[in-house]
Structure formats: structure tokens, C-alpha cells
Amino acid sequence: MQIAGERVLSKNPFATIKQKVNLSPEVADEVKTTTCYMCACRCGIKVHLKEGKVRYIEGNPDHPINKGVLCAKGSAGIMTQYSPAKLTKPLLRVGERGEGKFKEIEWDEALALAEKWLGDAKAKDPSRLAFFTGRDQSQSLTGWWAKQFGTRNFAAHGGFCSVNMAAGGIYTVGGAFWEFGEPDWDLTKYFMMFGVAEDHDSNPIKIGLGKLKTRGDAKFVAVNPSRNGYNSIADEWIGIRPGTDGLFIFALIHELLKAEKVDFKYLARYSNAPWLIIQNPGGEDDGLVLRDKKGNPLCYDLKKKKPVSAMDADITPALVGARTVRKKQVVPAFELLAKRFLNDKYAPDAVAETTGVPADTIRRIAAELAQVAFEEEIVIDQPWTDVWGRKHDKMIGRPVSFHAMRGISAHSNGFHTCRAIHILQVLLGSVDVPGGWRNKAPYPKPIPPGPKPSGEPIGPNMTLEGMPLGTPTGPEDLLVDDDGGVEAILSAINRRAAFHSEDEARLIAREGERIEGDPSSHPVWRDAEAARLCTERLIRIARKTGKRIHVLHISTAEEIPLLAANKDVATVELTPQHLTLAAPEAYESLGTYAQMNPPIRSAEHRAGLWRGLADGVVDVLGSDHAPHTIEEKEQPYPLSPSGMPGVQTLVPIMLTHVNNGNLSLERFVDLTSHGPCRIFGISQKGRIAAGYDADFTIVDMSASRTITNDWIESRCGWTPYDGSEVKGWPIGTIIRGNTVMWDDEIIGNAAGQPVGFLETLQKSI
């Protein structure tokens, strides 16, 4: 039926309605090929346009990355192009910050404002500009711009995403997951995926998983708290507790090492496993690689029975065994790794509850990895030559591969979790081999990589010497500038300021050196370099501000000559603890009771402190009294607090040193009485003279006693010198003419009064 040119339904409900439909409408009049920027995958796409507007996006089958596959994010690119929230003009805030009030302005006005603001900042201090770029795919350009502007306060998206994971891989194997490498999808037989959602590298992963599932001879194991996306098609899903992937991997390594299912030839040929590592607890070189005069790392050749360059091609290096080489105690790096991971705390039974993965499952996964890697190896009859020029008649592949992403990196253990996965790959010999995980150009890169960050403070209108971001290889490379706070303090005061001197950045960087339950690792973590770096910086700031500093409880031999050369701005304190105790003996006998900051160090450092005292570098002795209770100190390291009680034992311990000829009685009196008054300007103290407070300690230089915990008056109830035989004993203590202690008994009530300082008294006159 037709009414007034309109088509209406027939009254017959069963009538067939014929309608002409265009089965091939013209979607677009133009197609552009480009790259998708919705993530870092960089997939190729075809963009269909009609009358200049995007109508449809599809994958480009000719692109090498995705081969036509396109994910939902890529398809949704049209939404970002035409979103009603998309800015079309610059916005200028017109209300108070946080009110959300803006108005549109023209580009000329916006650029003029930006030029003025940036010009003012550059003319005063370029680092006043904090420049952050999002995922704009042009970080090389924006980083160069930050360099030219002169600001070191430049950051980009990656620092909030998974750069810790990428850094962990680059530091370990010269490459990383993300888009920097991928499994050999065609040959791998056992694939493990950790913490991957459908984000980065999504389309290549889809293609790869499709190959695995199509072949049917490979196993896909997904390790993820949730079973969705890729994990839903895995042959086995391991629902791990979030943040414990690293512990699970440690347990796998533990099992492989215990069973000796490790590619030892691969380690000897391609890794630093045979490099000799110096073992000198408390020493500056502890943990460093032993090198020859050319800087080459050394290993021990089992055939030649001598140390040789690990860079030589024709060597048979040892992977275990302690030796003395060039008067240094050394062990191969592999032995240190093996000892760490063979610790019982990484056994499957020990980690099962924390990870949520049954111990039997951990053991089975480790066995499956070993079975595929070593019993199902791939042999390709293809001659090749390695980087050392050694010729091989075939390629040996370990068909085990891994992939990981943000799920393992978005927590405090991310860096080391990623390193653990790469170490697992290296132990299996499955990096850059057929069937394993392979780098993609331009990786692998050198280890350690470069360049370093170039962000030291500069002057007005200056540019940086290098890029603001880089790869630090030590705490000295970290752009942690806390000098400003110290400068502000010193600039605001006129009196001498006292400082505990340990470099915080280095301590943070070396936290991994702490070994749970082992207090002897305390001086390894808080090493001598941490003290030297901080003292050097304090002296520099003191000179810059023209102020005086006092460096508390010096603990290293290296700080003594540094301070001796700067006595016009710096005074020095030592403690009886650092002059009496030494590592490793103190930690062996006292355990956590020997823990203090800075740490008790080696006898060599102790001897250096005594030389400084004899040479007049040291100004005062301090007790560093920190009376933690027995219950607190009994906690396992590093939960145990640092510090020792020291007030009551200072005199007998130092009198014993006097009797032993280590210093004179007069020098001891100067260090404990006149020295503090001299450097801090304390009023009416430090002399036996009219008008001065009558403060005395009466001692018996010939009295011999045994220091015991029962003798300690402090509520802590202990002393590190319990059981120590001493010669020289305080008989009585007199404060302002009042006897307060006699023959080990406290007499009278507390009668403390504020101490006066000459500088404050002069202001009040």
C-alpha cells in the first residue's frame, strides 16, 4: 500500500516485503596507511576516510608487526580523533587553582605566555622547570628539548609504567621484555607468561599464541592472579598472589640449582658467571670484580690452573671454588648466585604459603622446564661464528621462553622480579637461541649501558652537557639533590652544625646487600663509600656557605685525611665502639647487638681511626648512646634497631686504651672535656678554674674490673662489652660540686641544668 508517496506495511501480516539494500556501500573514498599510536606496539593500520573524515580503521596485513591483526584499542582510535572532550584550542585558567575554571584562548596568546614563563625560568634557574611528557611517542625529541632548555627535571610516561622492568632486563641480559624481545614462537615448546594483560605488544602476542595453539606441541603456562584475556586460553593457569611472582621464580631457580639442571657451558661461554668476585667483608673492594691491569674481568682457568682474562676465547673457566688471587679472596659470581638461591627460604615449601602456589606445583613446573630445555633441545645444523671468533658447526636451542609485562613491574619488587625471570632464562641457556627468548634489534645493548644522566645543577641560561635522563651505574649518578636542604640549614644558622654522615642515596641503592638474619651484612650495605661520599659533600657545602660543621662518629679510614685537610670548617667525633670493636669478630660474637650506624667496620678502618686520633684530627669522643632494649635488639636483622648504649662504659673502655698506651690520659681528658667545650663554645665547662662548674670524674687508673650487663644502670640492661676485662675505673662523678656517683652507686636525685653556649650568651648581653 502506498499513501502520499510513503511506503507502509500491507494489512496482510504474511505479505513479503521487498526492500532494495545496498550490499556494498562506499565506506570510504580514500585509504591511508599509517601506524597505530594507541599503545607502544606500533601496529600497522589502514585508515579509511570519506570526505576527509575517518570512517573506519583496520589492521594492515602487509605490516611486519601485526600482519593485519588489530586489537580493540586500535579500532577505537577513531573515538580519540572525534571525542567531544578533545581540546581544539589552548585553555587559560581564570579561577583559583583547583576550581576548574578555564577559558579558550588563541594560539598566539598561548605561545606568548609560554615564552614569557619559560624565559623567566631559564634566566633564573633552568631546573625550575619540571617537564613531564605523556605517551607522546616522541620522547627523544622532548628529552632533547629538556637538554637544550637546561632542566634536569624531565620525566616521561615510562617512569610511571614499566621502565623498572625494562631496566631490569637491560642490566641483566642487555635487552628486555616489552617490545624489545619476544619468544621464538615457531620453535618454543614451553612458554611462560607473567603478569600480562592485553596491553603492550598485544597483537604480536596474539599471533604468537595462535601459532602455539595451532601447532599443538607446546605448553602455555600463565602466571597471573586473574584468569582472563590471554590467561583464559593457557594450558595451565597459576593463580599467584599479587606481588609474589619474584618469590615463585626464586623457588624455580632453587629447584633447578639443587638438581643441577643448569646450562653450565652456556654460562661459562656467554655470561659473567665465571668472573671472580672479591670477598672482603667491610672493605671497599668487597663485591667488586677482580680485574687485570687492562680492566678486563678475571676468571680462573681450570686447565691452565691460573687466573686469566674472562674475555679470552680459549678458556675453561671455573664456576665455583674459593681461591686467593693477587692476595685477594675471590669466588666466581655463579657461586654467589647459587648460594643465595639455594637458601632454604627459597625452597618450594617455604614460599608456597606466601605465593599461594602449592609446593608440588612449583617442583613440577621446575621439572617441566628442565625436561624441555635439556631433554628436548633443538639442534639446527647451521655453522656459525660467535662474537669471540669461535666457530660452531651447529646451533643448540633450549625451547623454553618467557614473557612478562606490567603485572610484575607495578610494585616495589618489580625491578628484581624482572631480573629473576631473566636470570632463570640465562640459567636454562634460553636467551638468543632457537626456541628461546630472543632480542629484537637494536638489542642487546652493552651492560652496563650508557650514557649516564647529565643533570648536575647549572647556571642561568645554560644548557645541559648531555641528556637529562640516562642509565646510572652507581649512586653518584643518581640525580638526587638533597644539598639544598643542608645549604638552607647552614645558611640560616651561625653556630656549628653536627651531622651524621652517610649518603642516603647510596644506602637506598644498596638495600639489596642486606641479608635477612645476617647482621654481618650491615657494614656491607652501609659501606665505607657511603660515609666518604657524604662527608665529602658536607665539606663542600660548608665551604660554599662559609659555615662550620661537626661530623659525628666517623667510622672509616678514608674520612680521616679528608677531614684533616679541612679542619678550618670541620671538626670530628669518634666513639669508643669504633675504636674498640671490629668486623667480622664483633658480629660473630654479638650478632645484632653489634649493629649501629655507621657500622662497626674492619680492623683496617679501626687502625685508621686511631691514626687520626694520634695525629690530632679528632676533636671529641662521643658515646653515641642508643639504649635499645634487649627485646628490640633480639629481633632478626634488619628488623633489629641500630645503636648501642655507651655513656656508662665510655670512661672504663677508654682508660683501658690509656693503660694500653693507645693514647695519653691528657689526650683522653681533652677529647672528653675541653674538646667539646672548644668546638661548641660551651660556657663554664671544660676547665678546672674559678668561675667554672666543678665537674669532675675521679678515676683509679690501676683498678681492674669486669664489665657486666648487671652493672648497667640504663633501662636497656645490656652493653656490648659484657664480660670485658678493663683496667682503669671511674670511682666518683661530681657535677657542679655535687657528688652524684661513688663506688658504682648513684647518689642523690637528678640535678641536671641547661647548658649555656657562649654565642647565645653574647647575644643576650
Side-chain angles (χ1 to χ4, degrees):
M1 182 183 299
Q2 193 84 11
I3 300 176
E6 294 184 4
R7 184 174 174 277
V8 297
L9 293 176
S10 169
K11 290 183 178 181
N12 181 0
F14 301 105
T16 301
I17 299 174
K18 295 183 179 181
Q19 202 170 8
K20 187 176 180 180
V21 179
N22 185 356
L23 300 179
S24 300
E26 184 183 2
V27 177
D29 53 28
E30 188 178 10
V31 178
K32 298 283 189 181
T33 55
T34 184
T35 302
C36 177
Y37 275 39
M38 295 296 285
C39 80
C41 195
R42 318 294 195 275
C43 293
I45 56 175
K46 288 185 173 182
V47 182
H48 296 254
L49 302 104
K50 190 171 186 179
E51 297 178 358
K53 291 188 176 182
V54 179
R55 296 295 302 274
Y56 177 65
I57 300 174
E58 66 176 340
N60 184 356
D62 298 324
H63 198 279
I65 296 293
N66 58 319
K67 298 179 176 61
V69 177
L70 192 63
C71 69
K73 293 195 301 293
S75 299
I78 190 172
M79 297 171 66
T80 63
Q81 185 69 16
Y82 296 116
S83 169
K86 183 176 181 178
L87 296 179
T88 57
K89 287 187 176 182
L91 297 181
L92 178 66
R93 178 166 58 84
V94 294
E96 294 297 323
R97 188 179 298 276
E99 282 189 292
K101 295 180 180 180
F102 295 87
K103 70 173 184 179
E104 287 188 348
I105 60 174
E106 299 301 323
W107 281 104
D108 288 344
E109 183 181 358
L111 291 172
L113 286 171
E115 182 180 3
K116 181 182 185 306
W117 294 338
L118 293 173
D120 290 345
K122 186 170 178 62
K124 294 178 181 177
D125 178 5
S127 64
R128 294 179 64 182
L129 172 66
F131 182 40
F132 176 83
T133 65
R135 185 139 217 175
D136 57 5
Q137 317 300 329
S138 59
Q139 291 170 17
S140 58
L141 173 62
T142 53
W144 176 84
W145 187 93
K147 169 189 177 297
Q148 296 302 111
F149 186 87
T151 181
R152 62 190 186 275
N153 295 314
F154 168 71
H157 161 83
F160 297 87
C161 183
S162 303
V163 163
N164 59 343
M165 187 194 70
I170 292 171
Y171 269 89
T172 309
V173 295
F177 299 124
W178 221 337
E179 294 84 28
F180 307 144
E182 65 180 8
D184 181 353
W185 297 110
D186 295 314
L187 295 177
T188 196
K189 297 180 181 179
Y190 200 98
F191 173 59
M192 293 190 74
M193 176 182 283
F194 293 83
V196 180
E198 295 188 51
D199 49 3
H200 298 78
D201 212 28
S202 57
N203 293 325
I205 289 177
K206 290 185 180 75
I207 296 171
L209 291 177
K211 291 182 178 181
L212 296 187
K213 303 299 284 189
T214 302
R215 278 172 32 210
D217 63 347
K219 182 174 182 178
F220 169 26
V221 179
V223 182
N224 202 303
S226 62
R227 188 166 196 178
N228 55 13
Y230 304 133
N231 308 286
S232 64
I233 65 168
D235 299 301
E236 181 174 358
W237 169 63
I238 298 176
I240 197 165
R241 180 170 285 113
T244 65
D245 305 68
L247 196 57
F248 169 63
I249 299 160
F250 288 2
L252 294 177
I253 295 174
H254 176 95
E255 287 296 290
L256 292 170
L257 288 170
K258 191 169 71 170
E260 296 188 6
K261 292 296 184 179
V262 174
D263 194 335
F264 293 107
K265 291 183 179 180
Y266 182 94
L267 292 174
R269 184 180 296 160
Y270 302 119
S271 80
N272 63 356
W275 293 12
L276 297 177
I277 309 300
I278 299 170
Q279 302 297 285
N280 181 22
E284 282 191 345
D285 56 356
D286 183 52
L288 298 183
V289 176
L290 185 64
R291 299 179 181 272
D292 61 19
K293 293 181 179 179
K294 296 181 180 180
N296 295 316
L298 294 177
C299 66
Y300 188 84
D301 193 298
L302 293 172
K303 288 185 177 179
K304 299 175 183 176
K305 297 189 181 304
K306 65 177 183 179
V308 298
S309 169
M311 298 292 101
D312 291 347
D314 184 23
I315 55 175
T316 307
L319 292 176
V320 295
R323 294 174 175 84
T324 301
V325 177
R326 299 183 178 181
K327 299 181 180 180
K328 302 281 188 181
Q329 293 295 314
V330 294
V331 297
F334 175 78
E335 181 170 329
L336 296 176
L337 180 142
K339 285 182 177 178
R340 173 168 291 188
F341 286 106
L342 285 172
N343 191 301
D344 289 341
K345 66 182 179 181
Y346 300 132
D349 292 304
V351 308
E353 182 177 356
T354 302
T355 62
V357 182
D360 288 342
T361 299
I362 298 173
R363 281 188 280 265
R364 175 176 55 77
I365 295 295
E368 290 174 358
L369 288 170
Q371 169 67 27
V372 175
F374 301 111
E375 305 303 326
E376 301 178 29
E377 68 179 20
I378 295 172
V379 179
I380 299 177
D381 292 323
Q382 173 62 53
W384 63 289
T385 304
D386 64 27
V387 69
W388 285 272
R390 296 174 296 209
K391 297 185 180 298
H392 307 267
D393 59 355
K394 55 189 174 184
M395 294 181 174
I396 304 297
R398 308 292 181 199
V400 173
S401 59
F402 302 83
H403 185 71
M405 201 45 223
R406 182 161 169 74
I408 67 160
S409 65
H411 52 81
S412 60
N413 297 323
F415 178 83
H416 289 294
T417 297
C418 184
R419 275 179 48 79
I421 298 177
H422 287 299
I423 289 171
L424 175 58
Q425 291 181 122
V426 172
L427 292 174
L428 291 169
S430 65
V431 176
D432 275 338
V433 297
W437 179 87
R438 301 184 301 182
N439 284 289
K440 293 162 66 174
Y443 296 91
K445 291 191 174 183
I447 306 172
K452 294 184 177 184
S454 177
E456 291 300 317
I458 59 174
N461 291 315
M462 295 178 65
T463 62
L464 297 177
E465 294 182 358
M467 297 301 286
L469 299 183
T471 305
T473 58
E476 65 277 6
D477 299 327
L478 297 175
L479 301 183
V480 180
D481 183 10
D482 57 356
D483 289 358
V486 179
E487 284 186 27
I489 292 171
L490 288 178
S491 298
I493 63 176
N494 293 316
R495 292 160 62 183
R496 189 181 299 272
F499 293 91
H500 174 106
S501 183
E502 285 184 286
D503 188 84
E504 186 70 16
R506 184 170 178 85
L507 297 183
I508 293 172
R510 291 178 58 83
E511 281 185 344
E513 300 297 325
R514 297 185 302 186
I515 301 174
E516 290 184 10
D518 183 6
S520 68
S521 66
H522 194 60
V524 178
W525 166 39
R526 308 179 81 101
D527 64 353
E529 184 67 2
R532 187 197 65 78
L533 282 172
C534 190
T535 298
E536 187 177 67
R537 191 164 77 242
L538 285 171
I539 292 170
R540 184 176 67 248
I541 298 171
R543 290 208 172 279
K544 180 179 179 181
T545 57
K547 299 301 174 69
R548 299 163 295 164
I549 61 171
H550 178 63
V551 187
L552 300 167
H553 32 249
I554 293 299
S555 63
T556 74
E558 288 80 1
E559 290 170 279
I560 292 297
L562 182 62
L563 289 160
N566 293 276
K567 288 296 292 177
D568 55 330
V569 295
T571 51
V572 181
E573 176 198 84
L574 291 182
T575 72
Q577 294 94 310
H578 291 110
L579 289 170
T580 306
L581 305 175
E585 295 83 0
Y587 298 98
E588 292 170 356
S589 60
L590 295 172
T592 53
Y593 289 94
Q595 180 187 336
M596 67 180 295
N597 299 333
I600 300 299
R601 305 193 188 277
S602 66
E604 290 80 6
H605 284 294
R606 182 178 62 185
L609 300 180
W610 276 110
R611 286 193 295 272
L613 190 149
D615 292 342
V617 180
V618 180
D619 298 277
V620 299
L621 282 173
S623 67
D624 199 30
H625 186 65
H628 297 289
T629 65
I630 292 175
E631 291 76 12
E632 291 171 330
K633 294 294 283 187
E634 286 287 349
Q635 295 181 81
Y637 181 82
L639 297 178
S640 47
S642 293
M644 308 177 189
V647 170
Q648 194 172 342
T649 53
L650 185 150
V651 172
I653 290 297
M654 293 309 300
L655 289 180
T656 302
H657 285 303
V658 171
N659 276 315
N660 290 338
N662 295 327
L663 77 165
S664 67
L665 183 59
E666 291 77 9
R667 181 76 169 113
F668 173 51
V669 171
D670 180 74
L671 290 167
T672 53
S673 297
H674 184 60
C677 297
R678 181 179 65 251
I679 65 174
F680 289 111
I682 301 174
S683 173
Q684 297 177 294
K685 299 286 185 183
R687 290 182 62 189
I688 302 175
Y692 281 72
D693 291 342
D695 297 338
F696 305 97
T697 297
I698 300 171
V699 301
D700 183 349
M701 293 300 297
S702 62
S704 296
R705 299 279 198 282
T706 300
I707 295 176
T708 64
N709 288 339
D710 293 338
W711 174 66
I712 297 298
E713 290 290 332
S714 169
R715 293 179 182 177
C716 71
W718 68 276
T719 169
Y721 306 108
D722 180 46
S724 297
E725 300 288 337
V726 295
K727 185 175 182 181
W729 194 257
I731 301 300
T733 301
I734 299 172
I735 298 178
R736 286 185 293 278
N738 300 307
T739 302
V740 296
M741 187 279 290
W742 197 264
D743 282 342
D744 295 340
E745 288 187 16
I746 302 296
I747 301 173
N749 298 319
Q753 293 182 13
V755 174
F757 294 89
L758 294 175
E759 291 173 78
T760 56
L761 291 173
Q762 290 169 357
K763 290 181 180 180
S764 64
I765 295 175

